[in-house]
Amino acid sequence: MAEIVLGIGGIGATNTMGSSLKTYALGSCIAVVILDPQTRTVGMVHVALPDSSIKPEKVATLPGYFVDTGIPALFEQMRRCGTKGPKGLIVKLAGGAQIMDQNNTFNIGKRNALAAKKILWGFGLAPVAEDLGDNFSRTVTLAADSGIMTLSSPGRPNWHI
Amino acid sequence: MACFQFCYAAATASTIYPRCPDMEKKTLDKEVLAAVQRIPLLSLAAARILELTARADHTLTDVMDVARNDAALTARLLKIVNSPVYGLLEPATSLERAISYLGENLVVSLVLEDTIGSYMNKPLQGYGSASGDLWKHDLRTAIAAKEVALLNRDRCPPDVAFTGGLLHDIGKSILSEFLKERYQEILAELARKEVKDYVGGERELIGIDHARVGYELARNWGLPEVMQMVIRYHHEPSLAPEDLKTVVYAVHLGDIIAMMGGYGTGTDNLFYRLDQRYTDYLVVGPDQMGMLMLSVEEKFNETVETMQMH
């Protein structure tokens, strides 16, 4: 069974039965997961920062690092697997953790989540499920066969969204 | 009858309160400190390099002078600088050339990996983390602390912040043995809001936290005071001596940047508090955080690639 591991900024899409996409230890980063029930394609991008304007030259080598370039690049990869368009796609989000801070000083997790929702909204999509925020990191596994999204974190039993 | 009543009362008390948490904590506290005493001392080269790099006014030549007396370190540095990563047209044969290419931070990282790598690289059962996770977290913290210091160069020596970042969590490697599977109890206490953060949970469970354990080890090793204070107060920087607060806050922020980037050490996750008073000592605006994280990510990947080339 092929497991495609995505690092920070990694983008993956597959419709091969038995394969899965996985990304480890999302801190303030977010995994944007897209499922296409028509072509049975699953896709995931591990985005780290909300906006590529912070370092535009990085987009050429790692578009998945930023929310604003990572999500369109994920659509592009899914199109190569046969996905037609945003209509009918299922979106899920996970990650966006933050340090304990009542003032939300370094709220990159929250900004990533808001930016992702805004970009998705531009494609006419909204997440059907999300597991965002809190103070723990998340590892996400996405099975191509079932589309089941499994989350894990050190010291906790696995859960699904 | 009086005696019977006394014994009966004692038996009842022990049944109702099968263990006395405070007494157990005190015992564990002593056991942890005894374990610290059993850790071997640092090598001479490592102790001297740490002493040197803790001084804000040291130079690369000082580092070379120490490395020159350590044949194994010299050989390793030459091997790394001549690896394909550096793509030198002519192989470097002198230590001076090797160190000037590699830079001080990499030399310090290699020295520490050689001497205390067995503590840094082992899996932390008490934190539910795998082999190498602590070392990666430390390296990421070191790079981030240095980046923070570089934004505040006039008041915070970047190389001191780097070395402090490498060492800040050394106490976890010892405390882990005492936490074992009991991290679930800390997570439960955090969920019930009985403790304010993970270090509070460690203190509640064991009677001592990883920062204090690391400090005791640093004292035992005779590390410079600034390193001792960084290790002891990286989660409570406001308690550090006033003249060292800037560098302690830099490591405090570096630690948080590492955790936000997904490089934590396991079950403690991001269950630590940001001390807002960092703004009294360092300038790091919320808007600069994104750029910092990006820069740390790139430098971390470069360093890991280089260090694995041996």
Side-chain angles (χ1 to χ4, degrees), chain B residues 5-253:
Chain B
Q5 278 178 332
F6 174 76
C7 294
Y8 176 77
T12 307
S14 78
T15 312
I16 297 170
Y17 306 109
R19 66 188 172 97
C20 174
D22 283 342
M23 277 183 64
E24 188 177 298
K25 270 196 286 183
K26 275 181 192 158
T27 316
L28 275 174
D29 177 349
K30 280 184 189 151
E31 280 180 32
V32 174
L33 292 174
V36 169
Q37 297 292 329
R38 290 195 293 273
I39 303 284
L41 295 178
L42 286 179
S43 71
L44 192 60
R48 286 185 62 198
I49 288 230
L50 289 176
E51 187 192 332
L52 197 64
T53 53
R55 294 207 309 259
D57 61 349
H58 70 275
T59 65
L60 203 56
T61 314
D62 298 329
V63 177
M64 281 179 200
D65 288 342
V66 178
R68 197 172 285 122
N69 292 318
D70 188 322
L73 177 62
T74 302
R76 195 166 173 213
L77 293 174
L78 287 170
K79 192 172 176 186
I80 288 174
V81 81
N82 289 314
S83 70
V85 174
Y86 284 89
L88 299 185
L89 291 174
E90 283 182 38
T93 50
S94 74
L95 181 70
E96 285 75 7
R97 190 155 172 237
I99 290 185
S100 62
Y101 268 110
L102 296 173
E104 176 189 316
N105 296 152
L106 198 71
V107 175
V108 173
S109 305
L110 290 166
V111 168
L112 283 184
E113 200 197 22
D114 273 350
T115 52
I116 57 173
S118 54
Y119 306 113
M120 307 285 226
N121 275 317
K122 69 176 187 180
L124 300 183
Q125 196 186 344
Y127 293 86
S129 71
S131 171
D133 286 354
L134 176 61
W135 179 237
K136 283 183 197 149
H137 168 72
D138 288 339
L139 188 58
R140 192 116 175 165
T141 301
I143 292 167
K146 181 175 177 178
E147 291 295 305
V148 169
L150 284 168
L151 292 174
N152 298 269
R153 197 190 282 268
D154 54 330
R155 66 197 99 158
C156 189
D159 293 326
V160 178
F162 182 90
T163 307
L166 278 183
L167 291 165
H168 77 289
D169 263 350
I170 186 69
K172 282 183 181 171
S173 63
I174 298 170
L175 198 63
S176 169
E177 303 295 320
F178 294 86
L179 288 167
K180 297 273 182 183
E181 301 294 334
R182 296 185 69 191
Y183 56 71
Q184 291 292 359
E185 294 174 49
I186 299 182
L187 293 177
E189 284 176 344
L190 281 164
R192 293 193 298 264
K193 300 192 189 308
E194 288 170 4
V195 290
K196 71 180 178 84
D197 55 15
Y198 210 87
V199 270
E202 290 174 344
R203 285 195 289 263
E204 187 60 31
L205 194 65
I206 307 287
I208 192 166
D209 61 58
H210 72 265
R212 171 79 195 286
V213 176
Y215 161 71
E216 296 294 343
L217 180 60
R219 244 176 24 144
N220 235 24
W221 278 346
L223 295 187
E225 195 203 357
V226 61
M227 294 303 151
Q228 292 183 26
M229 294 298 109
V230 162
I231 294 167
R232 180 162 189 172
Y233 295 119
H234 68 274
H235 290 300
E236 296 161 309
S238 64
L239 301 177
E242 193 58 34
D243 60 328
L244 301 176
K245 274 199 172 91
T246 318
V247 72
V248 177
Y249 270 107
V251 175
H252 175 67
L253 292 185

Side-chain angles (χ1 to χ4, degrees), chain A residues 22-108:
Chain A
K22 184 165 193 163
T23 197
Y24 287 96
L26 297 157
S28 58
C29 297
I30 283 188
V32 179
V33 161
I34 299 182
L35 312 171
D36 178 4
Q38 295 297 317
T39 61
R40 310 287 292 180
T41 301
V42 296
M44 178 155 61
V45 58
H46 178 147
V47 291
L49 292 175
D51 191 346
S52 61
S53 63
I54 195 171
K55 196 173 184 184
E57 62 269 31
K58 196 173 176 71
V59 174
T61 52
L62 203 60
Y65 198 85
F66 306 102
V67 174
D68 62 336
T69 51
I71 293 176
L74 172 59
F75 282 132
E76 186 51 41
Q77 280 231 9
M78 291 188 72
R79 273 189 208 107
R80 280 186 228 138
C81 290
T83 292
K84 293 282 184 283
K87 197 179 173 192
L89 299 182
I90 297 166
V91 182
K92 297 181 183 181
L93 303 176
Q98 56 187 23
I99 203 78
M100 297 171 109
D101 170 26
Q102 57 193 10
N103 294 344
N104 282 324
T105 312
F106 301 130
N107 58 349
I108 288 188

Side-chain angles (χ1 to χ4, degrees), chain A residues 107-127:
Chain A
N107 58 349
I108 288 188
K110 196 171 273 183
R111 284 171 49 211
N112 277 335
L114 284 173
K117 287 176 185 176
K118 194 176 161 194
I119 298 286
L120 288 164
W121 185 249
F123 287 97
L125 296 168

Side-chain angles (χ1 to χ4, degrees), chain A residues 6 10-11 36 51 65 81 86 100 110 122 130 135 137 139 158:
Chain A
L6 308 176
I11 304 172
D36 178 4
D51 191 346
Y65 198 85
C81 290
M100 297 171 109
K110 196 171 273 183
E130 58 184 47
N135 312 113
S137 70
T139 289
N158 293 356

